[in-house]
Amino acid sequence: MHPLIDVSALDRLLRGQEPPVLLDVRWHLAGPPGIESYRKGHLPGAVFVDLDRDVAGPPGRGGRHPLPATGDFEAAMRRAGVSAGRLVVVYDDADSTAAARLWWSLRYFGHDRVRVLDGGYRAWTEAGLRVSTADPEVKPGDFIATPGRLPVLDAEGAAALATAGVLLDARAAERFRGEQEPVDPVAGHIPGARNAPTSGNVGVDGRFLPPELLRERFAQLGATDASDVGAYCGSGVTAAHEILALTLAGIPAALYVGSWSNWVADSDRPVATGES
């Protein structure tokens, strides 16, 4: 199943006999909580999913957004109406950063029919399509979470991949170089990693670049379908966006879920600064 869906195709599905489950996962690292945006307007029938509460475990040494416990994720998705055989479409404001983490999480836990609304809520409203402020009636789903369906990395695996393969750092260049670090206690990057900010995966409208342009971008960084590739970021959210972009480019890749926030939790781990 193609990972993306555009607004026209989604609109047709929502008018059909078997509409997909719609999950609104708008989330902001800084600013108002996503639920406030949801209450001001969302796609008709969409259920709000809280990224911090439903798509990640409690922050700690495992990182700021570690994997949730299997039972917790299963329960959250069932509350949202997710069932194994029913298509799920996820969206956020525009650039799919948060939506990609939910897309990746559902696939990691075994749901095979998940798509991301390309361009998100912004694309939907710019197309002049209807929005709602009503809370939908949700029939609980029967989703059974089975972890391990996508590859992941721990700190040791990320360090090894940075040497033997291609480890992409999805954060902004100034954070990669160690010039700024607004969130984590240590600035810099994993030695050997290559910087590939997720902002380069999308256009100004928040939609993903065509696959051929993504392949070209990643090939310039040494990441191809013939490479062992992984990605990390600050806490495993924007790195999931990188995994989605790599998937669109036809390049399998593993996610270091704990990412930089897990890496720097151990002061014995090396830290690099400057360009790669």
Side-chain angles (χ1 to χ4, degrees), residues 96-110:
S96 301
T97 297
R101 173 62 188 255
L102 181 52
W103 166 84
W104 182 90
S105 299
L106 280 161
R107 294 193 62 225
Y108 172 83
F109 283 106

Side-chain angles (χ1 to χ4, degrees), residues 7-8 54 91 122 148 151 178 184 190 196 233 239 247 257-258 268:
V7 293
S8 297
D54 300 327
Y91 72 90
R122 184 202 304 171
D184 293 304
I190 298 173
C233 59
T247 300
V257 182
D268 290 335

Side-chain angles (χ1 to χ4, degrees), residues 82-117:
V82 175
S83 294
R86 190 175 174 190
L87 175 66
V88 179
V89 176
V90 302
Y91 72 90
D92 56 27
D93 278 320
D95 65 4
S96 301
T97 297
R101 173 62 188 255
L102 181 52
W103 166 84
W104 182 90
S105 299
L106 280 161
R107 294 193 62 225
Y108 172 83
F109 283 106
H111 201 301
D112 295 326
R113 303 188 65 205
V114 189
R115 303 180 77 175
V116 173
L117 177 59

Side-chain angles (χ1 to χ4, degrees), residues 9 16 18 67 94 143 153 191 200 219 228 240 262 270:
E18 296 185 56
L67 277 170
F143 174 62
L153 297 168
D228 289 329
N262 168 249

Side-chain angles (χ1 to χ4, degrees), residues 22-116:
L22 272 179
L23 302 181
D24 182 315
V25 67
R26 280 180 281 180
W27 172 82
H28 313 104
L29 181 60
I35 187 62
E36 294 184 13
S37 298
Y38 174 83
R39 288 170 177 156
K40 291 177 181 177
H42 51 265
L43 272 64
V47 179
F48 180 72
V49 172
D50 188 298
L51 187 144
D52 294 314
R53 181 192 65 211
D54 300 327
V55 193
R61 288 186 62 82
R64 282 184 281 111
H65 289 104
L67 277 170
T70 299
D72 292 343
F73 184 76
E74 179 179 286
M77 293 302 100
R78 288 188 174 195
R79 287 194 302 271
V82 175
S83 294
R86 190 175 174 190
L87 175 66
V88 179
V89 176
V90 302
Y91 72 90
D92 56 27
D93 278 320
D95 65 4
S96 301
T97 297
R101 173 62 188 255
L102 181 52
W103 166 84
W104 182 90
S105 299
L106 280 161
R107 294 193 62 225
Y108 172 83
F109 283 106
H111 201 301
D112 295 326
R113 303 188 65 205
V114 189
R115 303 180 77 175
V116 173

Side-chain angles (χ1 to χ4, degrees), residues 198-251:
T198 52
S199 58
N201 295 331
V202 297
V204 294
D205 59 359
R207 292 178 173 89
F208 279 92
L209 300 179
E212 59 272 17
L213 293 183
L214 291 171
R215 280 193 292 272
E216 180 180 337
R217 180 191 190 217
F218 291 125
Q220 291 173 352
L221 293 161
T224 69
D225 59 3
S227 316
D228 289 329
V229 180
Y232 77 97
C233 59
S235 68
V237 176
T238 52
H241 188 280
E242 197 94 294
I243 298 294
L244 177 50
L246 286 158
T247 300
L248 293 170
I251 303 170

